[in-house]
Amino acid sequence: MNTRVLHGIFLFGSLTLIGCSSIDAPQQQTAAVNSASKATIASWVDSQVLKPVGLSLEQDDIQYLAGSVDLNKDGSAEHMVLMQSRYFCGSGGCTGYIFDNDGKIINTMTVVKTPVVLAESSTNGWQDFIVWSNGSYRLMSYDGASYPSNPSLEPKVERDAERQAAIANVMATEVYQKDGYDIRPAVSQQLWTPYNEYYFTFKHHADPYSIYRATVDIKTGEVDIVSEPNPK
């Protein structure tokens, strides 16, 4: 098992919580994939999601997560937008949209929560993905026309065994064994996270003013641990 420990400010990939002032959205695809810019995606949200219900990014406190990936391997990215404001969220989750690279909404989904994980399988030429909905991970598969609109009705995906193995990998590291404690799962706010990665936080008795974040690649056993100042 390989372990890398870094100290300092930690960014979990690129946080893509976007509101009236945009933050760079992560682009998961390679340079060969055509992908709309963050400003273009924001304009789609404004005109196609918010304007029809009398809202706007400029005037209302609307936030969303966004991520881009080529789901059907045609050389152009698809863009997922997961709303994070009360207008679009309930106790079960939030409304999500998938845009093609021309700005057309090709999918609308309800009751979606992070994480949004890229699966290692494909159906009808489109990559499967996994979301959290109705208390479980759910597999989203393309039916030839679209992805499901209600993830809570889709098949459950079991990830507990791998998560427990990932926790064991963190606890086996030298930095955790030297007074680490209170390890907890951490949900990445980045969309399209890799299937083989798991995220955790923990504390350290010798460093009470920091929070430690661990990323585990369950395939390779590699553990990256970084620390950042504890905001509490």
Side-chain angles (χ1 to χ4, degrees):
M1 178 176 65
N2 297 322
T3 305
R4 182 176 59 162
V5 181
L6 301 174
H7 295 273
I9 299 299
F10 173 66
L11 296 178
F12 235 121
S14 297
L15 182 64
T16 58
L17 186 61
I18 301 175
C20 294
S21 57
S22 294
I23 300 172
D24 287 345
Q27 304 298 313
Q28 298 294 322
Q29 69 284 337
T30 65
V33 174
N34 296 319
S35 181
S37 68
K38 60 173 184 176
T40 298
I41 295 171
S43 71
W44 297 341
V45 174
D46 227 1
S47 62
Q48 299 186 57
V49 177
L50 301 181
K51 185 177 180 181
V53 293
L55 301 171
S56 73
L57 290 177
E58 183 178 357
Q59 297 182 4
D60 301 286
D61 184 23
I62 304 297
Q63 297 179 325
Y64 61 88
L65 302 172
S68 304
V69 71
D70 186 1
L71 290 170
N72 59 356
K73 303 300 184 287
D74 67 348
S76 293
E78 283 72 45
H79 312 276
M80 185 173 188
V81 169
L82 182 58
M83 306 307 293
Q84 298 288 279
S85 296
R86 60 184 178 87
Y87 302 100
F88 301 92
C89 298
S91 59
C94 300
T95 302
Y97 303 88
I98 297 179
F99 292 86
D100 67 16
N101 203 45
D102 294 321
K104 177 184 177 181
I105 295 177
I106 58 176
N107 239 106
T108 302
M109 296 162 285
T110 57
V111 291
V112 176
K113 291 184 178 180
T114 54
V116 177
V117 179
L118 280 172
E120 297 179 317
S121 55
S122 296
T123 305
N124 294 314
W126 289 66
Q127 190 164 359
D128 299 335
F129 61 92
I130 298 165
V131 302
W132 184 263
S133 183
N134 194 25
S136 298
Y137 292 105
R138 305 284 177 167
L139 181 65
M140 303 288 283
S141 297
Y142 193 78
D143 66 4
S146 66
Y147 289 99
S149 60
N150 187 348
S152 68
L153 302 178
E154 297 310 303
K156 295 181 180 180
V157 178
E158 175 58 53
R159 286 170 63 85
D160 286 345
E162 281 196 349
R163 183 178 62 196
Q164 291 302 318
I167 289 174
N169 281 3
V170 176
M171 296 179 71
T173 62
E174 182 178 4
V175 66
Y176 190 88
Q177 292 194 354
K178 290 183 177 179
D179 288 335
Y181 71 102
D182 195 23
I183 185 169
R184 300 184 182 189
V187 177
S188 174
Q189 294 299 297
Q190 179 175 326
L191 304 185
W192 308 127
T193 56
Y195 184 83
N196 53 295
E197 287 189 359
Y198 290 81
Y199 310 97
F200 306 95
T201 63
F202 64 89
K203 299 175 184 177
H204 205 277
H205 287 296
D207 190 8
Y209 299 108
S210 296
I211 189 78
Y212 285 72
R213 299 186 183 270
T215 300
V216 180
D217 185 328
I218 199 63
K219 281 188 174 181
T220 65
E222 183 174 341
V223 182
D224 282 355
I225 297 175
V226 296
S227 66
E228 64 180 26
N230 192 337
K232 294 183 180 180

